[in-house]
Amino acid sequence: MSKLQEVAAAVEKGKSKIVAGLVEEALAEGSSAVEILNSMIDAMSVVGEKFQRNEIFVPEMLVAARAMKKGVEPLKPLLADAGAPKAGKVIIGTVAGDLHDIGKNLVAMMIESAGFEVIDLGVDVPAEKFVEAVENDPEVNIVAVSALLTTTMPSMKTVVEALNASPARSRFKIMVGGAPITQEFCDEIGADYYTTDAASAAQKAKEIA
Ligand code: B1M
């Protein structure tokens, strides 16, 4: 088994205690931070597929998520684009009713790495909190909204509608993303930009800031 496969297996099995060490070893063996990150993202997809087939349940998903978080830690400084000029200020959060934060955290990390200051509102964030955060900070130029469940897509719509009604609307752009989100849905709810993954979200943020 290659080191990358060992990292993926550790995430899949939720082995939080060993995953960071394996990531360090993979780096020492020459794997890039992006390769290692992708192996962990693939592992989470496998976890999701097993959950869908009822082969594993929520507790197993949770431990896999914890393991992935541990594995991402040593990669953070390597993915950071040190010395990039301050590109702007971004508010990010996962919508109300949704507790998934791995993807949102990766998006936050990549956007931060692209030179932005990031204010992370966390998970299960109601629309009012997004609005309050952007209205209270005139430096914010992007609001990034994540949703991972089809059942929380309506919450994303609520957030975007509330942001669109804000008197501060002209000074910020709204970016949306997450597994069930599409360009069509982005257009339908009146958000500005949809991106599929953390790297393209950071790229888009740089383009529009
Ligand atoms: Co949940 N879960 N989960 N879960 N979970 C999914 C999403 C699911 C697809 C699993 C499945 O059935 N195959 C399914 C959703 C089905 C659907 O809606 N159609 C599901 C379900 C059903 C549930 C529960 C309802 C289960 C239950 O209780 N019966 C429950 C809901 C809880 C809630 O939120 N209210 C639940 C709970 C959980 C845990 C808490 C156990 C845990 C989350 C832990 C955590 O995040 N801290 C969990 C996990 C781990 C998953 C899976 C396995 C992995 C998610 C993940 O982290 N992926 C997931 C299956 C899967 O995704 N394959 C699943 C890795 C991550 C890097 O990818 O989050 O997609 P992702 O982020 C990507 C892109 O989406 C994008 O960039 C990221 C990185 O490239 N992106 C953006 C994300 N946000 C973006 C924002 C942007 C741009 C891009 O711009 C602003």
Side-chain angles (χ1 to χ4, degrees):
M1 201 190 271
S2 75
K3 202 52 81 183
L4 282 181
Q5 286 168 327
E6 282 185 51
V7 169
V11 168
E12 206 186 310
K13 291 184 188 138
K15 298 203 181 287
S16 303
K17 288 192 181 138
I18 62 163
V19 71
L22 289 171
V23 166
E24 300 282 9
E25 286 171 29
L27 286 168
E29 284 183 12
S31 295
S32 73
V34 171
E35 279 170 338
I36 300 170
L37 183 61
N38 285 337
S39 73
M40 291 194 284
I41 292 176
D42 289 346
M44 292 310 290
S45 298
V46 173
V47 169
E49 285 155 19
K50 286 189 173 170
F51 175 75
Q52 228 159 11
R53 294 195 299 266
N54 290 322
E55 288 169 23
I56 60 163
F57 301 96
V58 170
E60 287 94 333
M61 281 210 287
L62 204 50
V63 290
R66 280 202 200 113
M68 166 122 189
K69 277 189 191 170
K70 293 275 181 198
V72 169
E73 282 301 318
L75 298 180
K76 276 188 184 172
L78 299 166
L79 293 165
D81 184 4
K86 263 277 155 286
K89 207 175 203 179
V90 178
I91 282 172
I92 191 166
T94 304
V95 300
D98 201 325
L99 303 175
H100 295 85
D101 68 355
I102 295 180
K104 183 264 297 166
N105 293 345
L106 286 179
V107 172
M109 190 176 84
M110 295 299 280
I111 289 181
E112 201 167 28
S113 303
F116 289 83
E117 184 179 341
V118 175
I119 300 168
D120 189 347
L121 301 179
V123 295
D124 194 14
V125 183
E128 313 81 69
K129 209 168 159 194
F130 278 100
V131 173
E132 194 185 294
V134 73
E135 287 182 353
N136 289 342
D137 191 338
E139 286 181 4
V140 172
N141 51 351
I142 296 177
V143 182
V145 191
S146 178
L148 255 290
L149 296 168
T150 45
T151 49
T152 56
M153 289 168 72
S155 300
M156 180 175 269
K157 182 169 188 259
T158 307
V159 171
V160 173
E161 280 172 355
L163 288 169
N164 280 340
S166 165
R169 181 64 176 97
S170 59
R171 75 166 148 82
F172 63 86
K173 302 284 186 206
I174 307 172
M175 292 176 59
V176 293
I181 310 305
T182 59
Q183 182 64 54
E184 196 185 8
F185 183 69
C186 166
D187 298 340
E188 188 188 309
I189 63 175
D192 297 315
Y193 301 99
Y194 160 72
T195 51
T196 52
D197 55 48
S200 51
Q203 184 58 41
K204 182 58 77 182
K206 275 203 277 192
E207 280 168 34
I208 63 176

